[in-house]
C-alpha cells in the first residue's frame, strides 16, 4: 500500500523474475487459461504436474486450490510474506499469501466486509491454511504496541482452540472437531484491532468414545504428559494416559507426529498472553481433570439390579475438583429425577443407564467448558472502540467425512458441508449467472449440480429429517430409533436422495442395516445410524453472516489417504475435484467476466484517469464510466456495460487500469503537494522578505555607524603619525612616542624577514634608523654569534679537528705565502696527514750527497730513513722553513740520537699539510719562518751557502752556475675553488 508503480515493478523483477519464469513452465497457474478447461482429465493432469514440482497452489480465477503436500516446503517465510505484500493477485505465482493480501487490500480500498471460506475433506489442510492467513496478517498489518497485543491474542487463540477442539482421527492427526468462524476487525488504517469467534457443533461424543486408531481431544493428553508435577498432584492425576478410561478406547494414546509436552507449554503461554487469570486457569484444568476422573467411575448392580458406585477415590476427586458434595454426585450418577406436578421422585438407574448418564454428564461438562472458553477468548479479543470497523472472516469448519459407522454428529457435520456447498453455489455459480441475466449481459448458461434438493431433504419444514426428528422426540409414548426411521420412510419414501433398507432395491438392500438410512450427498453417498433444530438455526445464522460479506474461497484437497508426501492418488483427487464444484466454477469463470462493479463505485475510484471525469462528472454514472473507458482505450471484447454495473472480462485489463490509477494517485498527490508547498513557500517567502528588509535596514545602519567611527579613528591616527614624523628627531614626547614605537616595530619586522644567511654576508643587514643604531649593532653581533654557535653545535668531531689544523695553518702561512688563499678551500685529509712520507732531495751540507732517503712522521713522532733503511727518531729542535714555491721547503733538522745536524730540501705535494703536521708532532708552532727569494746558509765559519727559488715549466733542483742551489717550482695554474661559506667562517674564526 502506498508503493509507486516503479517500486512495485522493481521489487517484483528483483525477487521473482527467475522463479516466476521457471514456475510458468510447470503446468498452468490459473485453470481459466487451460485450453481443455472442460476436461476433468486435463484439470487433474495440471494438478498432478504442479504437485510433483511442490507447487501446491493453483487458481481458478480468484478461487485458490490447495493440495496438501504432507511435508514442509519452506514457502511460508518472512521473505515470502514481503514478496506478496501489495502485489496484484495474478502478478506472482499462486499462494495463500496472495489471496490473503488481495482480500486485505480490497477491504481497505472498498471499505467493505469480506470472508474467506476454507473447505475440503478432513486432512486436506484447512486448519493450516487458516493459520497461514492469520500469520500473514500479523506481519503485514501496521504495528503499534496496542496492535501487537491484539495480534498476539489473535495468533495465540489458535493453539488454545486446537488443544480443546482438535483431535487425532484416522484421516488427520490434528483434525478440527468443531466448526470455527473468526472475524478479524480492522480500523481505517488497516490495523487489526479486535476479533470474534463463533464455534459450531463440538464433537462432544469424542470425549467418551473414540474409534480404533483415534484419540480424544488434545488437551487431555497434553495435561497428563506435560503438566507440572505439583499441578498433577493437586488434580489427583498420574502421568500415564493408560490409567484413564476415556483416553484409551482408540488404543492410540501416543502419536509420533504430536508432541504433547511441547504443545502443553504453548497452551500455557497462550493462556497467559490472552490474560486468563490464574484462578480461571486452575478452574479450567480442574474441570478437565474431573472428566478423566468421571470416566474412571464404575458401577455394579446391587441385589435388586440397580447401579451403585464401585470406587470411592474417584468420587472424592470429583467432589474436590467440581466443588460438589460427594453424596450429591453419587445420587446424581445413580438416580433419575422425575417431576410429577409438585413432587420430585428419584428413580434408580440400572448399570447401563448409569453408564449412559455418566457419559452424558462428561460430554455436557466438556461442552459447556468449551463454550465458556470461547466466550473468554472473545472477551479478550473484543474491541472496545465503537467506531466503524471493516471485517475479514475466516471460516475453518470440519470437512466432509465418511466412516464405517457415522453417528448423528457426523450427520450434522456433513449437513453443514452440504450447506456450505449450497452457499458456494449461490455466491458463485448461481448468482453469477443470475447477475448476468439481471444486468442484461448476453450469456450462455452453464449447467451445474444444485444441491438445494439435498439441503431441503434435511432442513425443509415439516418434511425434512430434522423436522421429523423433532416431531418424533416430542410425541407421546416411547420413541426409538426404529420409530424414527419408520417416520422418515413415511415422509420421504419417494425422494431420490434418500434410501433405507425397506425402500432400497435388492442389490442396495444388502449394503444397509435395518436401522440405517442413506443420503446421496454432493460429495457422495453416506449411510447414517439413527439415534437437530438448534444446529440448523446456527447454520442459518452463519449463512446470513457470510451472505453479508464478499466471498473468497480456498479449496483444500488431499492427494492421498495415507498422508504420504509425494503420492498423488488420481481417483481420490478426481472425486474431490467433482464434489468441490471446481469444474462448474471453472466453466463459469471461463465463460464470464473476471471483474464487475457498480458504475458509481467504478467511476468514483478511477475518475482521476480521465480529464473529462475529473474532478467531478456532471452526468449519470453510466455515462461517466463509458467516457472513462473510452479514454482508457478499452476494446469492445474486453468489457460489457450492464444496467447497473460494468463487467470486465480479463484480469489484465483491470490490472492495467489499477496500475494507471496507482501512477495517477502519485501524480495527483504530487500536484496537490506542489500547490500546497507553493502556497506555503510563497507565504514563507513574503515573511522572509519582510524580515530580510528589516535586518538589512538595521545592518546597514550599524555598518554606517561603524564606518563613521572607523574613519574618525583613522583621522586621529593619521594626525598623530604626521606629528610624530615631524618630531621624530626630537626627544621622546607625547607627539612622537607612538611614531617612534611604530618605527622600531617596523624596523624589527623588516629585519626579521631580511636576516643574513651567513657571517660573510656583509651587505644584507638592514640600515637602521637613527633611533635604532645602537640596538642594531647589538642585534647584529648577537645574531652573528648565534649563527656561529648554531654551526659549531652542528659540526662533527672529525670535521672540527680538520678545522683546528686549518686554524694552525692559517696562523703560520696567512699573509706570507702567495698561494695560501687558494688552498683554503681544500680540506685536510686524514689519509694524507695521519701517516705521511716526504721524499728528501739530493742535497745536504756535505755536498749534496743524499744521506736520508725520506722523512716519515706519524701522529706521535717523526723518522729519518737512511740508505740502510734504519729508522732514526728525529728530535726536531727547530724548523727553518724557507719556501718560495708550493712543493719545496728547506728544513733545518737536528737529530740528537746521531748527533747530526743539517738542512734538508723536502719535496711535498701537500706542503701546508706536511709542515702543519710536523709542527703538531714537534709541538713547535712558532718555529716556522717563511723567507722569500733566496736563502743564505752558514755551513761553516767563513763559508756560506745559498738556495735560490724560481718558477718554471717543470719541477727540478740543480746547482746553478753561480754555485747556488736552484729550486725550480712549476708555475701554479689551477685556481682552487673556495670551500663553503660555513668553512670560511670557521677558518676566519680560528
Amino acid at each position: 500500500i502506498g508503493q509507486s508503480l516503479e517500486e512495485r515493478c522493481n521489487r517484483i523483477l528483483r525477487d521473482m523474475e527467475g522463479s516466476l519464469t521457471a514456475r510458468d513452465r510447470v503446468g498452468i497457474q490459473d485453470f481459466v487459461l487451460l485450453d481443455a478447461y472442460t476436461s476433468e482429465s486435463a484439470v487433474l493432469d495440471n494438478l498432478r504436474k504442479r504437485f510433483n514440482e511442490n507447487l501446491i497452489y493453483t487458481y481458478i480465477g480468484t478461487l485458490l486450490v490447495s493440495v496438501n503436500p504432507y511435508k514442509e516446503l519452506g514457502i511460508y517465510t518472512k521473505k515470502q510474506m514481503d514478496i506478496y505484500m501489495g502485489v496484484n493477485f495474478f502478478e506472482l505465482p499462486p499462494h495463500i499469501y496472495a489471496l490473503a493480501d488481495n482480500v486485505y487490500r480490497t477491504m481497505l480500498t472498498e471499505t467493505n466486509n469480506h470472508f474467506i471460506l476454507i473447505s475440503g475433506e478432513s486432512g486436506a489442510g484447512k486448519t493450516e491454511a487458516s493459520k497461514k492467513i492469520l500469520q500473514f496478517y500479523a506481519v503485514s498489518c501496521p504495528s503499534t504496541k496496542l496492535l501487537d497485543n491484539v495480534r498476539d491474542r489473535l495468533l495465540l487463540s489458535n493453539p488454545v482452540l486446537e488443544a480443546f477442539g482438535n483431535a487425532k482421527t484416522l484421516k488427520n492427526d490434528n483434525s478440527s472437531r468443531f466448526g470455527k468462524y473468526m472475524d478479524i476487525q480492522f480500523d481505517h488504517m488497516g490495523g487489526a484491532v479486535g476479533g470474534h469467534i463463533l464455534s459450531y457443533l463440538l464433537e462432544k461424543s469424542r470425549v467418551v468414545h473414540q474409534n480404533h486408531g483415534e484419540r480424544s481431544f488434545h488437551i487431555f493428553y497434553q495435561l497428563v504428559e506435560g503438566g507440572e508435577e505439583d499441578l498433577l498432584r493437586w488434580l489427583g492425576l498420574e502421568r500415564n494416559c493408560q490409567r484413564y478410561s476415556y483416553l484409551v478406547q482408540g488404543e492410540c494414546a501416543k502419536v509420533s507426529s504430536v508432541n504433547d509436552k511441547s504443545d502443553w507449554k504453548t497452551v500455557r503461554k497462550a493462556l497467559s498472553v490472552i490474560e486468563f487469570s490464574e484462578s480461571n486457569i486452575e478452574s479450567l484444568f480442574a474441570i478437565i481433570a474431573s472428566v478423566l476422573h468421571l470416566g474412571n467411575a464404575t458401577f455394579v448392580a446391587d441385589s435388586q439390579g440397580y447401579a451403585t458406585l464401585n470406587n470411592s477415590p474417584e468420587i472424592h476427586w470429583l467432589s474436590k475438583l467440581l466443588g460438589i458434595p460427594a453424596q450429591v454426585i453419587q445420587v446424581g450418577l445413580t438416580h433419575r429425577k422425575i417431576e410429577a406436578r409438585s413432587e420430585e421422585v428419584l428413580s434408580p438407574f440400572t448399570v447401563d443407564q448409569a453408564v449412559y448418564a455418566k457419559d452424558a454428564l462428561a460430554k455436557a461438562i466438556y461442552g459447556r467448558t468449551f463454550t465458556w472458553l470461547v466466550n473468554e477468548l472473545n472477551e479478550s479479543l473484543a474491541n472496545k472502540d465503537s467506531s466503524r470497523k471493516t471485517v475479514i472472516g475466516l471460516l475453518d469448519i470440519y470437512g466432509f467425512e465418511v466412516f464405517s459407522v457415522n453417528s448423528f454428529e457426523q450427520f450434522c457435520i456433513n449437513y453443514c458441508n452440504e450447506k456450505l456447498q449450497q452457499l458456494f453455489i449461490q455466491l458463485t455459480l448461481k448468482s453469477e449467472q443470475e447477475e448476468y441475466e439481471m444486468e442484461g449481459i448476453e450469456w450462455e448458461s452453464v449447467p451445474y449440480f444444485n444441491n438445494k434438493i439435498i439441503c431441503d431433504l434435511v432442513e425443509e419444514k415439516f418434511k425434512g429429517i430434522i423436522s421429523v426428528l423433532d416431531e418424533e422426540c416430542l410425541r407421546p409414548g416411547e420413541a426409538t430409533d426404529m420409530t424414527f426411521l419408520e417416520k422418515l420412510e413415511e415422509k420421504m419414501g419417494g425422494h431420490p436422495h434418500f434410501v433405507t433398507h425397506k425402500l432400497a432395491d435388492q442389490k442396495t438392500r444388502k449394503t444397509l442395516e435395518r436401522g440405517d438410512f442413506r443420503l446421496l450427498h454432493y460429495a457422495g453417498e453416506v449411510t447414517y445410524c439413527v439415534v437437530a433444530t438448534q444446529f440448523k438455526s446456527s447454520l442459518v445464522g452463519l449463512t446470513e453472516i457470510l451472505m453479508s460479506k464478499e466471498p473468497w474461497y480456498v479449496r483444500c484437497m488431499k492427494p492421498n489417504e495415507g498422508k504420504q508426501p509425494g503420492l498423488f492418488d488420481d481417483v481420490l483427487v478426481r472425486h474431490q475435484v467433482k464434489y468441490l464444484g471446481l469444474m462448474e466454477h471453472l466453466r463459469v469463470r471461463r465463460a464470464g467476466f473476471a471483474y464487475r462493479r457498480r458504475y458509481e463505485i467504478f467511476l468514483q475510484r478511477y475518475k482521476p484517469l480521465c480529464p473529462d471525469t475529473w474532478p467531478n462528472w456532471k452526468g449519470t454514472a453510466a455515462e461517466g464510466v463509458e467516457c472513462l473507458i473510452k479514454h482508457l482505450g478499452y476494446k469492445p471484447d474486453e468489457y460489457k456495460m450492464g444496467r447497473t454495473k460494468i463487467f470486465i472480462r480479463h484480469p489484465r485489463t483491470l490490472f492495467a487500469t489499477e496500475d494507471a490509477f496507482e501512477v495517477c494517485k502519485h501524480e495527483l498527490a504530487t500536484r496537490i503537494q506542489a500547490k500546497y508547498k507553493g502556497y506555503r513557500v510563497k507565504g514563507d517567502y513574503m515573511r522572509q522578505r519582510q524580515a530580510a528588509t528589516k535586518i538589512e535596514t538595521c545592518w546597514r545602519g550599524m555598518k554606517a555607524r561603524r564606518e563613521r567611527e572607523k574613519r574618525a579613528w583613522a583621522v586621529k591616527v593619521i594626525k598623530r603619525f604626521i606629528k610624530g614624523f615631524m618630531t621624530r628627531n626630537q626627544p621622546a614626547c607625547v607627539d612622537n612616542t607612538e611614531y617612534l614605537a611604530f618605527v622600531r616595530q617596523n624596523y624589527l619586522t623588516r629585519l626579521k624577514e631580511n636576516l643574513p644567511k651567513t657571517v660573510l654576508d656583509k651587505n644584507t643587514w638592514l640600515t637602521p634608523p637613527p633611533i635604532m643604531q645602537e640596538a642594531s649593532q647589538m642585534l647584529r653581533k648577537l645574531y652573528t654569534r648565534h649563527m656561529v654557535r648554531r654551526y659549531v653545535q652542528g659540526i662533527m668531531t672529525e670535521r672540527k679537528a680538520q678545522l683546528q689544523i686549518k686554524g694552525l695553518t692559517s696562523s703560520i702561512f696567512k699573509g706570507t705565502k702567495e698561494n695560501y688563499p687558494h688552498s683554503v678551500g681544500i680540506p685536510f685529509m686524514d689519509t694524507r696527514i695521519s701517516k705521511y712520507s716526504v721524499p728528501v732531495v739530493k742535497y745536504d751540507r756535505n755536498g749534496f750527497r743524499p744521506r736520508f732517503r725520506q722523512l716519515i712522521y706519524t701522529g706521535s713522532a717523526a723518522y729519518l730513513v737512511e740508505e740502510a733503511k734504519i729508522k732514526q727518531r728525529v728530535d726536531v729542535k727547530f724548523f727553518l722553513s724557507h719556501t718560495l714555491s708550493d712543493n719545496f721547503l728547506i728544513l733545518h733538522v737536528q737529530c740528537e740520537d746521531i748527533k747530526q745536524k743539517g738542512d734538508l730540501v723536502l719535496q711535498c705535494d701537500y706542503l701546508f699539510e706536511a709542515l702543519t703536521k710536523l709542527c703538531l708532532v714537534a709541538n713547535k708552532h712558532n718555529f716556522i719562518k717563511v723567507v722569500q727569494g733566496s736563502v743564505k746558509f752558514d755551513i761553516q765559519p767563513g763559508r756560506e751557502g745559498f738556495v735560490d727559488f724560481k718558477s718554471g715549466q717543470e719541477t727540478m733542483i740543480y746547482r746553478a752556475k753561480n754555485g747556488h742551489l736552484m729550486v725550480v717550482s712549476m708555475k701554479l695554474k689551477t685556481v682552487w675553488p673556495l670551500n663553503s661559506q660555513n668553512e670560511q667562517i670557521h677558518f676566519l674564526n680560528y
Side-chain angles (χ1 to χ4, degrees):
I1 298 173
Q3 287 183 320
S4 68
L5 178 61
E6 182 179 2
E7 290 173 338
R8 291 169 60 197
C9 291
N10 287 338
R11 182 161 61 86
I12 292 169
L13 290 174
R14 181 178 67 251
D15 293 329
M16 296 302 296
E17 184 174 9
S19 60
L20 184 57
T21 304
R23 285 167 177 263
D24 281 341
R25 298 194 188 104
V26 183
I28 302 298
Q29 294 186 150
D30 189 348
F31 282 114
V32 175
L33 303 177
L34 198 64
D35 291 333
Y37 68 94
T38 59
S39 169
E40 278 189 7
S41 298
V43 171
L44 200 67
D45 183 60
N46 191 52
L47 281 173
R48 186 192 309 106
K49 284 181 181 178
R50 295 180 63 79
F51 177 80
N52 290 335
E53 295 296 328
N54 293 324
L55 302 175
I56 62 171
Y57 293 115
T58 314
Y59 291 138
I60 303 180
T62 58
L63 181 146
L64 181 67
V65 179
S66 171
V67 183
N68 194 338
Y70 295 120
K71 63 180 179 180
E72 294 292 335
L73 295 180
I75 60 173
Y76 303 105
T77 63
K78 173 65 167 57
K79 182 179 179 181
Q80 289 286 327
M81 294 182 185
D82 293 337
I83 290 173
Y84 280 92
M85 286 182 196
V87 180
N88 280 330
F89 194 53
F90 296 101
E91 288 183 2
L92 296 178
H95 201 288
I96 190 74
Y97 292 158
L99 181 132
D101 180 74
N102 211 42
V103 175
Y104 178 71
R105 289 190 296 114
T106 305
M107 175 201 70
L108 289 180
T109 54
E110 300 182 0
T111 61
N112 56 357
N113 298 327
H114 297 254
F115 79 90
I116 303 173
L117 174 58
I118 307 173
S119 58
E121 288 192 18
S122 178
K126 300 185 298 300
T127 300
E128 287 300 313
S130 65
K131 286 183 186 178
K132 296 297 184 286
I133 293 174
L134 276 177
Q135 291 167 0
F136 179 81
Y137 289 149
V139 173
S140 61
C141 292
S143 177
T144 65
K145 186 175 181 180
L146 176 62
L147 296 179
D148 290 348
N149 189 24
V150 174
R151 176 200 65 192
D152 293 341
R153 294 183 183 185
L154 284 169
L155 289 175
L156 291 176
S157 64
N158 253 340
V160 174
L161 289 175
E162 285 184 9
F164 286 85
N166 289 19
K168 180 199 180 304
T169 65
L170 293 175
K171 298 184 178 182
N172 187 359
D173 290 347
N174 188 34
S175 177
S176 298
R177 308 319 298 165
F178 72 108
K180 180 184 71 174
Y181 174 77
M182 173 183 283
D183 268 340
I184 309 171
Q185 300 170 353
F186 299 89
D187 60 14
H188 68 285
M189 296 295 293
V193 295
H196 188 266
I197 300 171
L198 295 176
S199 64
Y200 298 93
L201 192 65
L202 177 70
E203 190 186 24
K204 295 177 290 187
S205 62
R206 183 165 295 272
V207 175
V208 300
H209 175 74
Q210 307 96 40
N211 292 329
H212 182 75
E214 295 187 351
R215 297 205 313 178
S216 184
F217 294 102
H218 293 322
I219 188 62
F220 293 113
Y221 305 93
Q222 292 172 4
L223 175 60
V224 174
E225 294 291 339
E228 297 78 7
E229 293 292 342
D230 293 342
L231 177 63
L232 295 180
R233 193 179 304 111
W234 179 73
L235 297 175
L237 298 178
E238 299 179 32
R239 198 179 299 281
N240 185 359
C241 294
Q242 302 299 325
R243 299 297 299 272
Y244 302 102
S245 174
Y246 281 164
L247 303 185
V248 296
Q249 297 192 26
E251 298 181 357
C252 187
K254 295 285 186 180
V255 183
S256 60
S257 63
V258 177
N259 189 332
D260 292 315
K261 291 183 179 180
S262 176
D263 293 342
W264 167 259
K265 294 178 181 178
T266 302
V267 171
R268 286 301 304 261
K269 178 182 177 182
L271 291 173
S272 300
V273 173
I274 299 172
E275 295 185 353
F276 274 56
S277 66
E278 283 300 321
S279 61
N280 281 346
I281 293 176
E282 290 179 359
S283 300
L284 177 63
F285 293 139
I287 293 175
I288 298 301
S290 70
V291 173
L292 296 179
H293 287 297
L294 186 60
N296 284 356
T298 57
F299 301 93
V300 294
D302 60 10
S303 58
Q304 297 179 349
Y306 296 126
T308 60
L309 280 168
N310 191 29
N311 46 352
S312 58
E314 301 298 340
I315 302 302
H316 163 74
W317 286 110
L318 284 171
S319 175
K320 175 186 175 182
L321 297 175
L322 296 178
I324 302 174
Q327 183 62 29
V328 174
I329 294 176
Q330 290 179 352
V331 173
L333 291 176
T334 57
H335 293 77
R336 176 175 56 186
K337 182 186 293 185
I338 302 175
E339 294 183 358
R341 296 183 181 179
S342 59
E343 295 183 359
E344 292 182 352
V345 179
L346 292 178
S347 174
F349 282 146
T350 64
V351 172
D352 290 340
Q353 290 173 332
V355 171
Y356 182 85
K358 179 192 71 171
D359 291 345
L361 177 61
K363 291 188 290 184
I365 290 175
Y366 193 83
R368 293 193 179 189
T369 301
F370 188 80
T371 301
W372 172 86
L373 181 65
V374 172
N375 292 336
E376 288 296 310
L377 289 174
N378 285 331
E379 182 67 23
S380 174
L381 297 173
N383 176 35
K384 305 301 189 292
D385 186 1
S386 60
S387 59
R388 185 177 182 273
K389 303 292 184 300
T390 50
V391 167
I392 294 179
L394 280 178
L395 181 59
D396 174 18
I397 207 157
Y398 16 61
F400 187 90
E401 294 176 326
V402 182
F403 296 104
S404 57
V405 176
N406 298 283
S407 65
F408 178 73
E409 285 177 331
Q410 195 62 45
F411 165 76
C412 294
I413 289 174
N414 291 345
Y415 163 55
C416 176
N417 278 271
E418 200 75 56
K419 287 293 290 183
L420 292 178
Q421 177 67 11
Q422 184 186 35
L423 178 68
F424 171 71
I425 292 172
Q426 289 177 349
L427 293 178
T428 56
L429 307 180
K430 182 173 179 293
S431 61
E432 184 95 0
Q433 299 188 86
E434 289 177 350
E435 185 174 25
Y436 293 145
E437 295 172 1
M438 182 178 63
E439 290 289 330
I441 303 295
E442 294 184 3
W443 171 262
E444 182 179 350
S445 296
V446 176
Y448 61 89
F449 172 72
N450 191 342
N451 69 335
K452 183 178 184 300
I453 185 173
I454 301 176
C455 293
D456 290 343
L457 174 63
V458 177
E459 64 186 13
E460 189 176 11
K461 286 186 178 180
F462 310 117
K463 297 181 180 180
I465 294 175
I466 293 179
S467 295
V468 174
L469 177 59
D470 290 343
E471 180 181 344
E472 186 67 13
C473 291
L474 294 175
R475 74 175 180 83
E478 185 176 359
T480 64
D481 296 343
M482 297 308 298
T483 60
F484 171 54
L485 186 60
E486 290 172 1
K487 196 73 172 181
L488 288 177
E489 291 172 341
E490 179 185 342
K491 294 280 187 179
M492 304 166 190
H495 199 286
H497 290 270
F498 177 81
V499 179
T500 65
H501 185 276
K502 178 180 178 181
L503 299 176
D505 56 30
Q506 186 174 1
K507 181 179 179 181
T508 306
R509 188 174 297 168
K510 295 179 180 179
T511 62
L512 286 172
E513 299 292 337
R514 293 189 179 276
D516 296 343
F517 68 92
R518 179 174 296 168
L519 295 184
L520 279 63
H521 287 282
Y522 77 99
E525 300 177 356
V526 184
T527 302
Y528 297 103
C529 178
V530 301
V531 234
T533 300
Q534 180 180 2
F535 181 63
K536 173 187 172 183
S537 300
S538 298
L539 285 183
V540 171
L542 175 62
T543 303
E544 291 175 353
I545 292 174
L546 299 182
M547 290 291 287
S548 66
K549 298 177 174 61
E550 295 289 331
W552 301 77
Y553 300 99
V554 179
R555 288 290 195 244
C556 296
M557 305 173 68
K558 55 183 182 181
N560 59 78
E561 291 285 5
K563 297 177 284 187
Q564 299 180 20
L567 180 60
F568 191 90
D569 186 341
D570 285 11
V571 176
L572 178 64
V573 176
R574 186 186 297 271
H575 174 69
Q576 294 173 86
V577 167
K578 181 177 181 180
Y579 83 72
L580 287 174
L582 300 187
M583 297 304 300
E584 290 88 349
H585 187 78
L586 174 57
R587 288 198 294 271
V588 170
R589 285 296 182 188
R590 184 64 179 258
F593 297 84
Y595 176 85
R596 77 287 314 272
R597 278 293 180 271
R598 295 185 63 85
Y599 290 133
E600 295 81 4
I601 297 176
F602 188 86
L603 180 62
Q604 180 64 27
R605 179 167 180 79
Y606 297 114
K607 66 180 180 179
L609 298 177
C610 177
D612 296 331
T613 57
W614 175 260
N616 295 306
W617 173 255
K618 303 299 183 182
T620 64
E623 293 171 345
V625 170
E626 191 166 6
C627 177
L628 174 61
I629 61 177
K630 285 182 180 178
H631 177 76
L632 293 175
Y634 280 21
K635 297 179 181 178
D637 62 337
E638 293 181 335
Y639 74 98
K640 293 291 183 182
M641 301 288 288
R643 294 187 177 93
T644 63
K645 297 180 181 180
I646 178 175
F647 292 79
I648 298 177
R649 186 176 299 277
H650 305 298
R652 61 176 180 271
T653 306
L654 178 64
F655 294 158
T657 305
E658 187 66 23
D659 290 340
F661 179 60
E662 288 293 327
V663 176
C664 180
K665 282 197 300 186
H666 290 283
E667 292 176 350
L668 288 175
T670 302
R671 262 191 274 171
I672 294 172
Q673 288 177 350
K675 292 290 184 183
Y676 178 71
K677 288 178 179 178
Y679 169 77
R680 287 286 303 273
V681 170
K682 183 178 180 180
D684 293 341
Y685 168 73
M686 296 301 294
R687 288 191 297 272
Q688 290 174 2
R689 189 172 70 171
Q690 293 174 0
T693 302
K694 290 181 180 180
I695 293 172
E696 287 174 355
T697 302
C698 296
W699 173 252
R700 286 171 180 166
M702 183 185 69
K703 195 173 182 181
R705 289 190 294 271
R706 287 183 177 178
E707 186 66 23
R708 181 181 60 80
E709 293 173 356
K710 187 176 181 180
R711 289 183 178 181
W713 172 82
V715 169
K716 292 179 181 179
V717 171
I718 293 172
K719 285 181 178 180
R720 288 200 302 269
F721 188 84
I722 294 173
K723 287 183 179 180
F725 177 77
M726 294 172 64
T727 61
R728 64 185 182 281
N729 296 324
Q730 298 178 8
C733 62
V734 177
D735 293 333
N736 62 9
T737 301
E738 291 185 5
Y739 178 78
L740 295 177
F742 168 76
V743 170
R744 286 192 292 268
Q745 180 181 357
N746 183 57
Y747 173 73
L748 293 175
T749 301
R750 290 186 297 113
L751 181 62
K752 174 186 175 183
E753 297 172 355
N754 296 278
L755 289 172
K757 304 301 181 183
T758 67
V759 176
L760 301 180
D761 188 355
K762 305 296 185 180
N763 301 319
T764 302
W765 196 264
L766 295 178
T767 303
I771 195 173
M772 294 294 293
Q773 289 286 348
E774 184 179 357
S776 177
Q777 294 176 4
M778 294 176 63
L779 289 173
R780 188 169 187 175
K781 291 179 180 179
L782 288 173
Y783 185 70
T784 301
R785 293 184 65 184
H786 166 71
M787 287 192 294
V788 172
R789 182 181 294 107
R790 186 171 59 183
Y791 181 81
V792 170
Q793 289 175 348
I795 197 168
M796 297 178 64
T797 304
E798 180 182 354
R799 187 62 179 157
K800 185 175 181 181
Q802 290 180 345
L803 291 177
Q804 288 174 340
I805 295 175
K806 278 198 174 184
L808 176 60
T809 306
S810 175
S811 64
I812 298 173
F813 298 103
K814 185 177 180 182
T816 61
K817 195 74 173 70
E818 180 181 358
N819 64 339
Y820 172 75
H822 300 290
S823 69
V824 172
I826 303 174
F828 287 4
M829 301 296 291
D830 287 344
T831 56
R832 294 198 295 266
I833 64 176
S834 61
K835 185 175 182 182
Y836 200 86
S837 175
V838 181
V840 178
V841 181
K842 296 179 179 181
Y843 167 77
D844 62 14
R845 302 177 72 174
N846 298 318
F848 304 106
R849 291 191 302 274
R851 179 174 179 80
F852 302 107
R853 291 288 185 183
Q854 287 181 318
L855 173 65
I856 298 177
Y857 61 82
T858 62
S860 58
Y863 299 89
L864 288 175
V865 181
E866 304 180 40
E867 294 180 357
K869 305 297 183 181
I870 300 174
K871 293 183 180 179
Q872 298 292 338
R873 183 177 183 276
V874 179
D875 184 9
V876 183
K877 295 296 185 178
F878 59 90
F879 296 97
L880 291 177
S881 178
H882 311 281
T883 61
L884 290 175
S885 67
D886 295 330
N887 303 96
F888 293 93
L889 62 87
I890 301 296
L891 181 64
H892 182 74
V893 180
Q894 179 180 355
C895 301
E896 289 186 348
D897 294 343
I898 57 177
K899 304 298 183 178
Q900 291 187 10
K901 297 182 181 177
D903 296 321
L904 302 180
V905 178
L906 304 181
Q907 181 179 357
C908 179
D909 291 334
Y910 299 95
L911 182 64
F912 299 108
E913 295 182 25
L915 193 57
T916 304
K917 187 64 177 180
L918 287 173
C919 289
L920 290 174
V921 172
N923 197 18
K924 306 290 186 179
H925 300 174
N926 300 324
F927 283 18
I928 299 299
K929 180 180 179 182
V930 180
V931 179
Q932 300 289 341
S934 179
V935 179
K936 179 182 178 183
F937 292 92
D938 293 328
I939 301 175
Q940 291 179 359
R943 187 179 177 185
E944 297 179 341
F946 296 89
V947 180
D948 295 331
F949 295 91
K950 72 174 183 177
S951 298
Q953 296 298 323
E954 59 179 344
T955 302
M956 63 180 64
I957 301 174
Y958 62 92
R959 186 169 188 146
K961 293 180 179 181
N962 59 2
H964 294 182
L965 181 64
M966 180 63 65
V967 179
V968 181
S969 175
M970 190 170 56
K971 188 175 182 178
L972 181 64
K973 296 180 180 179
T974 304
V975 178
W976 294 100
L978 294 179
N979 200 358
S980 66
Q981 294 179 350
N982 286 336
E983 184 161 330
Q984 292 186 36
I985 294 172
H986 280 280
F987 175 72
L988 291 174
N989 276 280
Y990 281 109

